[in-house]
Amino acid sequence: MNKEELGYRKYRMEGGDGPCSYRQNSNYQKLSLDSAKELMNELIDQNLDLRNSYNVCPLDTFRIADFGCSVGPNTFIAIENIIEAVRNKHKSMNLESKIPEFQVFFNDHVDNDFNCLFKNLPSNRQYSAAGVPGSFHRRLFPRSTLHFAHCSTSLQWLSKVPEEVTDKNSPAWNEGRIHYGGAAKEVKEAYFIQYGKDLDSFLSARAQELVPGGLMALIIMGFPEEAQLSESILGETFKTLGSCLQDMATEGIIEEETVDSFNLPFYYPSASELETLVEANGLFEMERTEELVTPIKRQKPDVRAAALHLRAVLGGLIKEHFGEGIVDGLLKRHFEKFVQNPIVSDQNYIKEAHYFLFLKRKMDLPTPWAGQS
Ligand SMILES: C[S@@+](CC[C@H](N)C(=O)[O-])C[C@H]1O[C@@H](n2cnc3c(N)ncnc32)[C@H](O)[C@@H]1O
């Protein structure tokens, strides 16, 4: 296995606590967690079987893992919501005396700023905490050890950019663009195929790690089938970034070829694509899929916050491909073009959807999974 497959990356969310850090610029992701809180409580109440099932009871320790946790604070909010729902379930069944202890595993790439994460662990937490570095596209835990898996706004990251989109001889060559918005249909297809492989690896690994009947909640950044990525703030954000890179290449600041070989490793699935992929994987029951009504769609887009958020998320990726020197210049250009674009401050162009999927690991894994490590 190469280092990348093991979760080593030269890029990561901007660490630390500074003004450009992910910690200070991740309110967008937090809003999704807030809108999922009630659903999480309801679905844990409906699906956590405390009396009969061997998925969790009797139990001393309830083990939760957050995949793609980044540096906080959102991961702490997600964990609190899960623990509160598990406690509520015990209370509603008069099993308060049986509330287990909680052990929480925080997973992200090896290069994630885990120091920052651990320094900021809530002081009043009622769980023990551990970090688990490595790519969530592979196994990270021993078989049947987790009771609850969580992953929010992380699965849009592909394990790699599909090779065809940088291959000049392929019909999926993504000439002059850095993402699939507005590109030929072959480009989007190549991205979708990669997404399907990655989601399958993620689900297959989690199915091994969860106990039979174990639960999993996913918040997935997606895009409705009927909407066009190229006619949305998300699409405009990437298009503007691509055009700034082209300008810098024209001015000789970066090589044309380095721009041609740069594509963003993100895919935004539709709800029906997700349902198809989960069913094809076959290792989980889909208990619920909901589109979250995130408050983002009710707010006037904040262009400045969006630019800072872009930097916190993409700064590392840009550094890795183009070198440290261009990040400030590129993002300054991006901001200047971005604020002048009427689309990006128009609420009607917020088209991305956040899907909430609640899954239950099947009781028996079909062969060949049953015997695999
Ligand atoms: C946008 S952040 C979301 C973080 C957090 N869940 C939240 O709600 O704020 C996405 C995170 O997923 C992580 N990530 C992406 N691909 C990953 C992978 N294959 N394995 C582990 N973490 C991954 C990134 O490093 C990043 O920290």
Side-chain angles (χ1 to χ4, degrees):
M1 204 171 292
N2 65 32
K3 281 189 103 183
E4 192 129 292
E5 283 165 334
L6 287 169
Y8 288 83
R9 290 239 166 123
K10 292 195 202 85
Y11 56 87
R12 58 176 196 181
M13 301 298 104
E14 201 64 42
D17 241 334
C20 297
S21 65
Y22 184 78
R23 271 187 70 71
Q24 302 293 342
N25 294 287
S26 50
N27 193 48
Y28 177 84
Q29 287 82 352
K30 176 183 178 294
L31 294 174
S32 265
L33 287 170
D34 292 345
S35 22
K37 184 174 176 179
E38 244 173 67
L39 261 176
M40 184 78 90
N41 198 46
E42 177 193 329
L43 287 159
I44 288 180
D45 184 58
Q46 283 170 11
N47 290 285
L48 190 65
D49 186 350
L50 297 183
R51 290 208 188 276
N52 306 314
S53 147
Y54 55 105
N55 67 350
V56 276
C57 207
L59 196 73
D60 290 330
T61 308
F62 189 91
R63 288 188 212 91
I64 305 168
D66 188 26
F67 294 90
C69 62
S70 195
V71 290
N74 298 340
T75 185
F76 307 134
I77 297 169
I79 295 300
E80 287 300 336
N81 291 349
I82 295 163
I83 292 179
E84 191 183 318
V86 174
R87 287 174 175 276
N88 287 345
K89 170 78 181 184
H90 281 78
K91 287 181 196 158
S92 71
M93 295 186 72
N94 289 326
L95 290 170
E96 216 163 336
S97 62
K98 299 259 191 304
I99 292 177
E101 292 194 308
F102 294 92
Q103 184 174 28
V104 176
F105 298 97
F106 294 95
N107 156 260
D108 208 291
H109 282 301
V110 172
D111 299 299
N112 184 52
D113 191 350
F114 282 102
N115 283 335
C116 175
L117 174 86
F118 289 124
K119 269 188 220 147
N120 287 290
L121 275 167
S123 53
N124 60 349
R125 69 186 181 281
Q126 296 189 351
Y127 54 85
S128 61
V132 177
S135 171
F136 56 47
H137 292 120
R138 54 181 280 274
R139 275 278 297 280
L140 293 163
F141 293 91
R143 196 180 306 154
S144 294
T145 48
L146 296 179
H147 303 100
F148 201 101
H150 179 264
C151 180
S152 68
T153 53
S154 301
L155 283 166
Q156 73 278 12
W157 282 85
L158 299 174
S159 63
K160 59 176 188 178
V161 170
E163 274 146 33
E164 307 88 299
V165 305
T166 53
D167 175 359
K168 291 189 176 165
N169 299 316
S170 163
W173 181 38
N174 199 18
E175 187 184 7
R177 288 193 174 75
I178 62 168
H179 199 231
Y180 58 81
K185 73 174 188 340
E186 288 84 356
V187 178
K188 183 166 186 238
E189 275 163 18
Y191 267 87
F192 175 62
I193 290 170
Q194 185 61 47
Y195 185 81
K197 286 184 194 156
D198 286 345
L199 188 65
D200 191 60
S201 308
F202 178 90
L203 294 173
S204 299
R206 302 301 78 82
Q208 292 287 298
E209 298 162 349
L210 281 161
V211 295
L215 304 175
M216 178 153 75
L218 307 176
I219 294 177
I220 297 190
M221 282 178 69
F223 212 80
E225 206 118 85
E226 62 286 359
Q228 290 294 328
L229 189 61
S230 54
E231 289 162 19
S232 69
I233 296 182
L234 191 64
E236 281 295 316
T237 306
F238 297 155
K239 194 170 119 199
T240 310
L241 192 66
S243 86
C244 295
L245 285 167
Q246 288 294 351
D247 293 348
M248 290 173 95
T250 310
E251 291 168 34
I253 299 168
I254 46 179
E255 299 284 326
E256 189 82 46
E257 261 185 38
T258 325
V259 178
D260 281 347
S261 61
F262 182 69
N263 282 272
L264 294 168
F266 302 133
Y267 185 77
Y268 301 92
S270 67
S272 72
E273 284 174 339
L274 283 171
E275 276 172 29
T276 307
L277 293 172
V278 172
E279 200 176 323
N281 171 267
L283 304 175
F284 288 87
E285 306 288 356
M286 178 85 93
E287 298 298 334
R288 186 82 79 86
T289 328
E290 292 267 342
E291 180 174 342
L292 294 173
V293 185
T294 75
I296 308 158
K297 293 201 177 173
R298 285 188 238 121
Q299 290 172 352
K300 185 170 162 45
D302 179 342
V303 180
R304 192 165 191 87
L308 279 166
H309 178 235
L310 190 75
R311 190 199 171 99
V313 174
L314 286 187
L317 186 66
I318 294 164
K319 254 184 243 170
E320 191 204 12
H321 192 85
F322 296 98
E324 179 111 37
I326 82 150
V327 178
D328 286 339
L330 173 64
L331 293 173
K332 186 164 174 285
R333 282 168 191 252
H334 183 266
F335 183 68
E336 281 160 6
K337 277 198 184 183
F338 203 55
V339 284
Q340 286 168 23
N341 183 342
I343 289 182
V344 303
S345 48
D346 186 338
Q347 211 176 18
N348 296 318
Y349 288 89
I350 305 178
K351 295 199 181 148
E352 68 267 25
H354 287 203
Y355 300 114
F356 183 86
L357 272 56
F358 199 85
L359 309 173
K360 190 183 277 183
R361 197 275 229 183
K362 287 187 175 164
M363 284 297 173
D364 297 308
L365 295 186
T367 48
W369 288 104
Q372 282 197 6
S373 59

